[in-house]
Amino acid sequence: MDNGSRNTPQRRERDRTLAVLHALMELGSGPHHFRSIANRTGLEDSEVHRRLRQLFRAQLCDRPHYGYWELRPATTTSQSDTPAGLVHPSTTPLLGAAALLEGIHRRTQQVVLLHTYSPVSGERLCISAVGASDPRFRRELAITPEAVDRLRRAPLDSDAPGLAMLANLAGQDTPLRDDLRRIRSAQVAATDAPLPGWELVSTPVRRLPGAPAVPGAEPRVVAAVSILAPQRSRGDALVAYGRLLRNAALAAVETSVVIAQPRFATTHAA
């Protein structure tokens, strides 16, 4: 039995949980009656109850009173609290990718960014951010407003997220300069960030969680997930961040599911 066959029950489980989470996200902030949620999923009531309890245990939703459920504020406000201009306007983040970023943010309490790249312009583009409402981060962005543009969009060879992708875009037999060869070997890149006094630690992502996948035809890399941390985090903390990112990205891609129903599908454009 191949890995795809072994993972089928697990993928089906995640599919159903994501369907309920997606229904809550479609309904928006505030409490929603169970029936309104269930009607959007196409699942049996008992299954929806089970998934809601699972989301509650994962701290993604709450039950403010009997029969009503709502997303936790961190789930609904992470994008609306993002500083203007940080996320590229031509992209739509995927549901599974948002969950990946939320999980990393909960474990590190640092700003987490997701970049993809444009093969046309050769730039890396920020498509999602979590934790960007941090008061210190927003204060320093206000002092250095030009950093917002550079975090949102920059040449691939500018800093860690672009380098993490660039090192993996070339074929295995393509000669690489020394820094890219080391990044490809470690699957982690670390550089100064465009925001003075901050550091970027990044790892490449082969497929965004929740994105359609064609067996045997997945690209070498589609994105990079990064932790944006104050430079006082240098040393052992940055090594730990790199390990956490690499493991989280691998786990998210290996266990992610593709939601086949059109109403649940999402796409992104670089």
Side-chain angles (χ1 to χ4, degrees):
M1 182 183 295
D2 61 20
N3 288 335
S5 299
R6 284 197 301 268
N7 287 336
T8 297
Q10 185 179 22
R11 288 176 178 270
R12 188 161 52 243
E13 288 285 299
R14 286 176 58 88
D15 224 2
R16 292 169 180 170
T17 302
L18 286 173
V20 176
L21 179 58
H22 194 278
L24 280 167
M25 294 181 75
E26 283 184 329
L27 288 166
S29 60
H32 301 286
H33 193 271
F34 171 83
R35 180 50 49 205
S36 298
I37 300 167
N39 286 346
R40 289 174 175 264
T41 66
L43 301 173
E44 296 290 334
D45 286 1
S46 59
E47 191 70 34
V48 177
H49 274 298
R50 179 185 171 198
R51 303 301 162 175
L52 285 169
R53 290 193 296 270
Q54 183 178 356
L55 293 171
F56 176 79
R57 289 192 298 271
Q59 301 182 351
L60 291 174
C61 78
D62 289 312
R63 187 170 71 168
H65 45 272
Y66 184 79
Y68 286 81
W69 298 83
E70 65 180 351
L71 286 174
R72 287 205 172 185
T75 310
T76 57
T77 63
S78 59
Q79 289 297 325
S80 61
D81 285 349
T82 300
L86 183 60
V87 175
H88 198 274
S90 67
T91 59
T92 302
L94 293 166
L95 178 62
L100 168 63
L101 268 61
E102 289 281 0
I104 295 171
H105 172 64
R106 282 197 301 271
R107 294 180 65 180
T108 64
Q109 295 303 302
Q110 302 288 2
V111 179
V112 185
L113 306 174
L114 184 70
H115 289 86
T116 187
Y117 66 92
S118 168
V120 176
S121 66
E123 295 174 309
R124 56 128 179 94
L125 307 172
C126 183
I127 62 172
S128 191
V130 172
S133 59
D134 176 78
R136 178 182 173 185
F137 175 63
R138 295 184 74 106
R139 182 175 66 249
E140 296 194 21
L141 277 185
I143 297 172
T144 319
E146 62 272 16
V148 176
D149 292 336
R150 297 290 291 179
L151 285 168
R152 179 184 75 251
R153 181 174 185 165
L156 273 172
D157 60 358
S158 296
D159 48 34
L163 291 170
M165 292 185 282
L166 192 60
N168 289 274
L169 285 171
Q172 289 296 321
D173 297 329
T174 303
L176 293 175
R177 64 187 198 225
D178 288 346
D179 61 332
L180 294 179
R181 189 167 61 250
R182 288 192 296 270
I183 290 169
R184 183 153 73 180
S185 176
Q187 291 295 286
V188 175
T191 66
D192 290 342
L195 183 63
W198 294 67
E199 184 99 358
L200 278 164
V201 184
S202 308
T203 194
V205 181
R206 289 182 58 85
R207 173 165 55 87
L208 293 179
V214 179
E218 291 187 12
R220 295 186 180 93
V221 64
V222 298
V225 60
S226 308
I227 291 173
L228 178 62
Q231 284 186 339
R232 68 173 184 270
S233 302
R234 285 185 183 276
D236 291 344
L238 293 184
V239 173
Y241 285 159
R243 187 181 302 115
L244 184 155
L245 282 172
R246 186 180 59 225
N247 293 342
L250 284 173
V253 170
E254 288 173 357
T255 61
S256 69
V257 292
V258 178
I259 299 176
Q261 295 93 330
R263 63 176 173 172
F264 296 142
T266 53
T267 59
H268 87 285

